[in-house]
Amino acid sequence: MKFNPLNWLLGFFSLDIGIDLGTANTLVNVRGKGIVINEPSWVAINKKTREPLAIGAEAKEMVGRTPTNVIAIRPLRDGVISEFEITQAMLEYFIGKAHEQSIVPVPRPRLVIGIPSGVTEVEKRAVYDAGMSAGAREVYLIEEPIAAALGAGLPISEIRGSMIVDIGGGTSELAVLSMGGIVVSRSLRVAGDEMDQDIVQYMRNKYNLLIGERMAEQAKITIGSAYHLPQEKTMTLRGRNLVTGLPEAVEISSVEIREAINGSVQTIIDTIKDALDEAPPEIVADLMETGICMTGGGSQLQMLDKRISEEMRIRAWVADDPMSCVARGAGIILEDLDHLNHLLVGLERGSTKH
């Protein structure tokens, strides 16, 4: 292959970006710089014109506080694009922010975007098209469990088996990996958002109190747990009483939050059991040594690793900085694209590589 100075210059100055396009948060990893953006996947738009007014953290602050002509939405639901044009605008915004940190003007970037393992061809194409429309030169797709495993430092290329459980906002991704490929995988649309809804419903049913999703999320993070705590905690939740219509504050305990989210937690655990049941016995033997690695924001639920360890009889452990594992894994792919391209996902019509 002849040396082409123009291609070399493009490669040297181009921006290579790994993106964890999550339901709850979007993380951007720029090659050579690490993670430069970690913002909520929220966009505030004008209802009539559908034009974005605010994106990321600023838009999330507006949730539940907007005037009638403005609405704050998440353009991704259950890990897939539900609002194509708004997702494109959000990607353009984040890519633009990454460009601002470059010393010199650079051409259109190469993107590696994480996608749930259970998505359809149509959903894959939507992510690919959104990336290209947002100004990318090339778009590559990688399944989130593989990216998360790479980011967590699991030896997925080795013969011995590894297991990753990536619990995000919209989806929980489970995969048993060996020799650089997926042996067994599950993609479950039960994750952090579902737990928030469980808390909203619990407060409504037990206390006739209507609370917002942000208040529910705060309760889950502060006092939520999957297993009894050494010392149980309490927290005050504020909302509107559905009987009187007046504002009300209710003090609840971590025991009640645990009861509220137990159904979603048990669904995730049952799915892990199901995946292990399908895995070959030799790999199960490997997992008894290596354990189950947990990543994603949902894996930070207090005592979740302990509960999984008890029910599975296999040690479960949370990766370092679990929220950034998919973005870091996408960055590792960009560092050595030629040798790791077998981990990427292709599209049935055409290729993700131009």
Side-chain angles (χ1 to χ4, degrees):
M1 187 175 175
K2 287 184 179 179
F3 173 73
N4 187 324
L6 182 59
N7 285 344
W8 181 85
L9 278 170
L10 276 172
F12 184 79
F13 287 115
S14 71
L15 210 60
D16 287 346
I17 299 175
I19 297 179
D20 176 8
L21 193 60
T23 308
N25 293 281
T26 296
L27 286 84
V28 177
N29 185 345
V30 175
R31 190 174 69 158
K33 293 183 180 179
I35 293 168
V36 296
I37 295 167
N38 180 357
E39 290 201 34
S41 302
W42 283 91
V43 181
I45 60 168
N46 183 305
K47 273 187 181 178
K48 289 181 181 177
T49 63
R50 307 285 290 175
E51 285 181 11
L53 304 174
I55 295 173
E58 188 184 350
K60 189 176 181 181
E61 282 296 313
M62 298 178 182
V63 176
R65 301 181 174 119
T66 55
T68 53
N69 64 323
V70 176
I71 184 170
I73 63 169
R74 290 201 291 189
L76 293 106
R77 280 280 162 193
D78 299 328
V80 296
I81 293 173
S82 57
E83 298 277 356
F84 181 83
E85 288 177 2
I86 297 168
T87 303
Q88 180 190 324
M90 187 173 75
L91 274 173
E92 280 178 9
Y93 170 77
F94 288 134
I95 291 169
K97 276 190 84 169
H99 269 285
E100 284 171 14
Q101 301 183 28
S102 298
I103 301 168
V104 292
V106 290
R108 296 164 65 183
R110 293 191 301 179
L111 301 185
V112 170
I113 303 177
I115 57 167
S117 58
V119 299
T120 64
E121 285 298 319
V122 172
E123 289 164 343
K124 285 180 199 171
R125 172 63 65 179
V127 175
Y128 173 75
D129 288 346
M132 292 299 288
S133 301
R137 183 171 89 252
E138 295 173 353
V139 175
Y140 302 87
L141 306 179
I142 183 169
E143 291 181 329
E144 284 173 0
I146 289 181
L150 280 171
L154 294 185
I156 65 169
S157 297
E158 293 183 9
I159 296 172
R160 63 179 174 147
S162 306
M163 185 170 189
I164 190 89
V165 177
D166 180 36
I167 306 172
T171 61
S172 294
E173 303 286 321
L174 295 75
V176 176
L177 307 157
S178 177
M179 297 173 64
I182 293 177
V183 180
V184 180
S185 73
R186 294 284 185 277
S187 185
L188 182 68
R189 296 191 177 186
V190 174
D193 289 350
E194 195 76 20
M195 294 179 200
D196 296 343
Q197 287 301 322
D198 290 342
I199 294 168
V200 170
Q201 200 59 45
Y202 182 88
M203 296 303 294
R204 189 183 189 120
N205 294 341
K206 186 169 182 180
Y207 294 104
N208 285 319
L209 187 73
L210 181 63
I211 62 170
E213 285 183 24
R214 290 191 66 188
M215 180 66 74
E217 183 186 27
Q218 195 179 338
K220 177 187 69 179
I221 292 167
T222 308
I223 64 171
S225 68
Y227 194 81
H228 61 80
L229 298 168
Q231 188 171 357
E232 300 294 351
K233 305 171 184 176
T234 60
M235 180 180 174
T236 301
L237 297 190
R238 297 175 180 85
R240 187 176 77 244
N241 187 299
L242 291 166
V243 177
T244 65
L246 298 172
E248 189 177 328
V250 174
E251 187 175 48
I252 60 160
S253 71
S254 50
V255 177
E256 291 175 288
I257 296 294
R258 186 159 62 249
E259 183 188 334
I261 64 176
N262 186 59
S264 295
V265 170
Q266 193 59 52
T267 301
I268 293 169
I269 290 171
D270 289 343
T271 307
I272 297 172
K273 284 181 183 173
D274 186 41
L276 282 173
D277 189 45
E278 200 178 307
E282 291 295 338
I283 286 183
V284 173
D286 293 338
L287 296 178
M288 290 179 78
E289 286 184 32
T290 58
I292 298 170
C293 177
M294 297 168 60
T295 63
S299 69
Q300 297 176 98
L301 179 69
Q302 295 176 78
M303 307 299 279
L304 180 58
D305 53 345
K306 183 173 174 62
R307 179 161 171 189
I308 290 173
S309 297
E310 286 221 347
E311 295 213 19
M312 299 292 113
R313 297 182 184 173
I314 294 176
R315 181 178 68 95
W317 50 282
V318 180
D320 293 335
D321 194 9
M323 277 191 71
S324 68
C325 284
V326 172
R328 281 188 281 141
I332 290 168
I333 292 283
L334 284 167
E335 293 285 346
D336 198 4
L337 200 54
D338 292 338
H339 293 102
L340 296 176
N341 60 9
H342 63 283
L343 299 176
L344 300 168
V345 176
L347 295 172
E348 282 184 355
R349 292 183 186 177
S351 165
T352 55
K353 295 169 231 182
H354 277 203

